[in-house]
Amino acid sequence: MLVQQVGVMTSESANEVNKLESVYIKKYQSNNPEVGYNLWPKFKA
């Protein structure tokens, strides 16, 4: 199991936070059923 600390971001814009969330989900494959639990965005092997 790999655990990595990710920096904390603050923003007044919910849109900006949502966009960054999907970037990190894809980067760390949190939407891959073997790695994480996110169902969105759809995992592409």
Side-chain angles (χ1 to χ4, degrees), residues 1-3 7 11 18-20 24-25 28 30 34 39 43-45:
M1 177 179 190
L2 173 66
V3 177
S11 176
N18 291 335
K19 182 188 280 187
L20 197 56
Y24 280 121
I25 288 171
Y28 294 106
S30 299
E34 295 181 10
L39 300 176
F43 179 69
K44 296 176 186 169

Side-chain angles (χ1 to χ4, degrees), residues 3-44:
V3 177
Q4 183 175 355
Q5 183 176 359
V6 179
V8 176
M9 182 194 137
T10 58
S11 176
E12 297 284 328
S13 167
N15 192 25
E16 182 181 5
V17 171
N18 291 335
K19 182 188 280 187
L20 197 56
E21 177 185 20
S22 67
V23 168
Y24 280 121
I25 288 171
K26 291 174 186 175
K27 179 177 180 176
Y28 294 106
Q29 293 188 355
S30 299
N31 56 345
N32 178 346
E34 295 181 10
V35 177
Y37 60 87
N38 291 83
L39 300 176
W40 179 90
K42 185 83 173 161
F43 179 69
K44 296 176 186 169

